[in-house]
């Protein structure tokens, strides 16, 4: 214990009840090298006329002036560069974060305005994306000599438990319509709701009905599309986001998601094409990706690298038809097992039959000839040559029970088929068997997967905020645009450091 006469320490008092007015020099909120300034200058150099054309407020007209699209574009790009994908968060941070505060001049933009702007101008946003690609191309950062194509699944703004079958949706629709009628009758009787409340309730009911109707349409479409493959298939659609489909993202599980298709130029890892599809698999996505490239850049890339999910007859032929050199990974659909679908052992499977090129026929394990019987042309361009043994030979053959199906019809004789692939497929397979092609293909994963990781980790796009393919496509484009600009600024810093 201190002695009674020992000195008592004195401290500065904290006064939290005072009010202060401080001068703020907005221009000095951020330093000269701050990324918000670079973004502002860059956006200012772009042609924003598509946004201007869509602005309702005009000189001499009634109402408040609109927020400048340059500010809204810069705010969204700055937000994505900081991993912020929420309009509310931008509005909140504009109160104190120096970059946001400087951009909006200490007057935060309402989150509704920000949100509507992000998803409301798809054509103008695509134009903006193309303009930036043009600038990157002019600086020689995009060459289109070699690009990669890959897809990543991003969660939709809907729960897995919102998926309903057509029957359940019809019941929900009926219930919603009954509720609407009941509420309207009550409102008329009670006259308790204000005009504003009534309008809000009406809007909410209309949105609910629209979503249910859209979900019903989606279920009908899916049912028609998939019924051919599986008779027992029961299509389901989400009542929250009818366009989202159940997909399997890399994190695992099956969740409502969209498939974001990204094309990346290997020269500097810049994104040169982006689109969103509701197709859960990448099987059909290479051809549209190449056509998007042509629409945006006016030419096709010289080479495209894509993984086994894209590698199929249609993709190889589509690339060849466009003069694009495709490098992929051809996966066999299935590996032959010990017994085939008819229960035949290895001694009587097709691979046990010997093809004689000179006579264009096969000889079976019993030494009988199988002559060309028919040629079938398949939709993927493959010609299937079918060879058949003489009926008389198979009828008396001692191997008939091992060579034929368990229940052979009267008049059965063995047939085998030989697939004659189009020349481009054969050339592709031969090319991919070479060491040089394999070495080219190996660069694919590191280039293709980097933008995926960036838009999810650095731009905060782990889940979409909007609903519907249109809105999520806008979000994906904003994130990729932000990625390209971040990469561009980084490349400029590297160049400046080496000079
Ligand atoms: S059943 Fe016909 S095809 Fe099969 S081994 Fe006998 S003769 Fe040859």
């Amino acid at each position: 214990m201190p002695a009674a006469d020992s000195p008592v320490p004195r401290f500065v008092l904290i006064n939290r009840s005072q009010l202060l007015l401080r001068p703020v020099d907005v221009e000095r909120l951020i330093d000269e090298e701050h990324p918000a300034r670079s973004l502002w200058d860059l956006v200012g150099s772009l042609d924003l006329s598509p946004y201007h054309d869509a602005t309702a407020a005009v000189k001499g007209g009634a109402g408040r002036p609109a927020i400048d699209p340059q500010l809204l574009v810069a705010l969204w790009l700055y937000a994505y560069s900081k991993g912020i994908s929420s309009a509310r968060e931008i509005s909140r941070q504009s109160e104190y974060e120096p970059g946001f505060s400087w951009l909006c001049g200490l007057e935060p933009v309402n989150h509704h305005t920000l949100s509507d702007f992000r998803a409301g101008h798809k054509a103008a946003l695509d134009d903006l994306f193309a303009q930036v690609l043009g600038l990157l191309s002019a600086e020689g950062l995009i060459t289109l000599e070699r690009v990669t194509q890959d897809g990543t699944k991003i969660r939709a703004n809907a729960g897995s438990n919102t998926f309903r079958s057509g029957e359940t949706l019809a019941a929900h629709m009926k219930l919603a319509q009954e509720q609407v009628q009941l509420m309207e009758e009550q409102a008329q009787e009670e006259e308790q709701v204000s005009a504003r409340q009534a309008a809000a309730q009406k809007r909410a009911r209309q949105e609910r009905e629209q979503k249910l109707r859209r979900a019903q349409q989606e279920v009908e479409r899916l049912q028609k599309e998939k019924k051919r493959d599986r008779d027992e298939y029961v299509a389901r659609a989400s009542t929250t986001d009818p366009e989202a489909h159940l997909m399997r993202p890399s994190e695992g599980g099956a969740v409502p998601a969209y498939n974001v298709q990204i094309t990346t130029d290997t020269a500097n890892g810049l994104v040169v094409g982006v689109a969103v599809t509701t197709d859960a698999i990448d099987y059909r996505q290479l051809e549209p990706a190449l056509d998007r490239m042509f629409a945006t850049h006016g030419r096709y890339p010289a080479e495209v690298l894509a993984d086994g999910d894209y590698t199929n007859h249609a993709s190889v032929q589509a690339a060849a038809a466009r003069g694009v050199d495709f490098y992929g990974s051809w996966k066999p659909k299935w590996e032959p097992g010990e017994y085939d679908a008819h229960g035949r052992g290895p001694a009587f499977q097709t691979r046990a039959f010997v093809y004689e090129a000179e006579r264009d026929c096969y000889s079976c394990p019993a030494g009988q000839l199988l002559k060309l019987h028919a040629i079938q042309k398949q939709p993927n361009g493959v010609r299937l040559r079918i060879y058949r043994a003489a009926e008389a030979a198979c009828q008396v053959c001692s191997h008939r029970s091992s060579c034929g199906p368990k229940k052979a019809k009267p008049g059965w004789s063995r047939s085998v088929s030989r697939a004659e692939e189009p020349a481009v497929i054969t050339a592709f397979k031969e090319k991919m068997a070479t060491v040089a092609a394999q070495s080219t293909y190996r660069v694919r994963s590191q280039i293709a997967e980097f933008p995926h990781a960036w838009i999810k980790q650095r731009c905060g796009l782990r889940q979409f905020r909007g609903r519907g393919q249109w809105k999520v496509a806008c979000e994906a484009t904003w994130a990729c645009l932000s990625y390209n600009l971040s990469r561009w600024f980084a490349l400029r810093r590297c160049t400046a450091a080496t000079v």
Side-chain angles (χ1 to χ4, degrees), residues 477-492:
T477 308
W478 278 110
C480 288
L481 187 54
S482 167
Y483 163 81
N484 273 354
L485 294 180
S486 301
R487 189 119 188 92
W488 190 9
F489 294 155
L491 288 166
R492 274 182 177 177

Side-chain angles (χ1 to χ4, degrees), residues 7 63 110 126 149 272 275-277 323 340 355 360 366 374 388 394 411 414 420 424 448 457:
N110 179 285
D126 288 343
Q149 180 65 33
V272 288
V276 170
T277 171
D340 71 7
Y355 180 65
D360 188 24
R388 188 177 287 278
C394 293
R414 178 69 194 267
E420 230 178 40
V424 283
Q457 305 298 329

Side-chain angles (χ1 to χ4, degrees), residues 364 366 368 393-394 397 403 414:
C364 76
Q368 296 293 331
C394 293
C397 178
C403 187
R414 178 69 194 267

